[in-house]
Amino acid sequence: MKKILFFLIIFLILSCKSSNSLNQKVEYEVIQVPIVQQNDTIISNELRFYKIRSANNSMQLMYDNFGKWDMTLAGRYQVNVPQLVWENINLIDGDEVYNISASGTETENEFFSSFIILNEKGLDMLSETNQNRQLIIEFFKSKMKELGNSKKFYSVYRTK
């Protein structure tokens, strides 16, 4: 009886450990996504955060730090979650300004908040060849962590 109980406990421990490791998602990642502009499709890098409270977190972060957005576009992933665009934003010390699209999704299969960052010439700032890529990622990681520790939450694109 003791052997059976011992093996049952070991089995339960191993089962829990493997299911936890399968369900863990990374905090963030940069992935390539297709973007349709007029009649052309370009591939751009998107910074996605997974450990979030809402798909709106990227929009809330931008609103809290840079104020009202400059443009609203149709949702990239969901009709009810638009893309909000901020133009000419200085993220890191320097003269360069960026155009930032914030979006996200909350479905049964996907749950993330995301950013696409372009410079004023339309170049992808999350490209692996960009010398400021890691600085930009660290900026957003830090701000998302601050937002995650904040108690406030609101649907930013519904504020007037």
Side-chain angles (χ1 to χ4, degrees):
M1 181 69 175
K2 287 183 181 181
K3 282 185 180 183
I4 293 173
L5 186 57
F6 175 75
F7 286 118
L8 183 60
I9 291 172
I10 296 296
F11 176 75
L12 287 173
I13 290 171
L14 292 175
S15 296
C16 291
K17 185 175 182 178
S18 64
S19 78
N20 283 342
S21 64
L22 289 175
N23 291 332
Q24 288 181 347
K25 275 209 163 218
V26 294
E27 179 182 336
Y28 73 94
E29 68 181 333
V30 177
I31 64 159
Q32 293 187 330
V33 295
I35 297 176
V36 178
Q37 290 184 336
Q38 295 162 355
N39 289 330
D40 208 12
T41 301
I42 61 169
I43 301 297
S44 186
N45 289 292
E46 179 176 71
L47 177 60
R48 289 184 178 178
F49 287 90
Y50 297 102
K51 291 185 179 181
I52 57 170
R53 287 185 287 160
S54 167
N56 298 331
N57 283 158
S58 59
M59 294 173 259
Q60 182 175 346
L61 180 154
M62 291 299 296
Y63 182 79
D64 288 350
N65 289 276
F66 303 105
K68 190 163 171 36
W69 52 96
D70 296 300
M71 188 180 348
T72 303
L73 301 173
R76 185 177 311 131
Y77 301 104
Q78 286 180 247
V79 174
N80 63 332
V81 181
Q83 294 178 69
L84 300 181
V85 178
W86 282 258
E87 297 175 337
N88 301 316
I89 300 297
N90 188 329
L91 286 180
I92 52 180
D93 291 334
D95 295 330
E96 193 161 29
V97 293
Y98 305 98
N99 297 319
I100 302 164
S101 169
S103 188
T105 189
E106 290 184 33
T107 67
E108 289 181 22
N109 300 323
E110 293 187 295
F111 183 58
F112 61 83
S113 194
S114 66
F115 301 93
I116 290 180
I117 301 104
L118 305 174
N119 71 5
E120 57 195 331
K121 296 175 187 165
L123 298 176
D124 183 355
M125 295 290 95
L126 293 171
S127 158
E128 289 190 21
T129 60
N130 177 24
Q131 65 185 9
N132 289 329
R133 178 182 196 247
Q134 200 56 43
L135 285 173
I136 291 169
I137 291 171
E138 290 302 321
F139 171 86
F140 282 108
K141 279 175 52 179
S142 169
K143 292 296 183 183
M144 287 297 275
K145 186 175 182 178
E146 287 174 20
L147 184 63
N149 293 333
S150 169
K151 298 292 183 206
K152 70 178 178 175
F153 174 76
Y154 51 90
S155 184
V156 72
Y157 57 87
R158 293 190 177 119
T159 60
K160 299 291 180 198

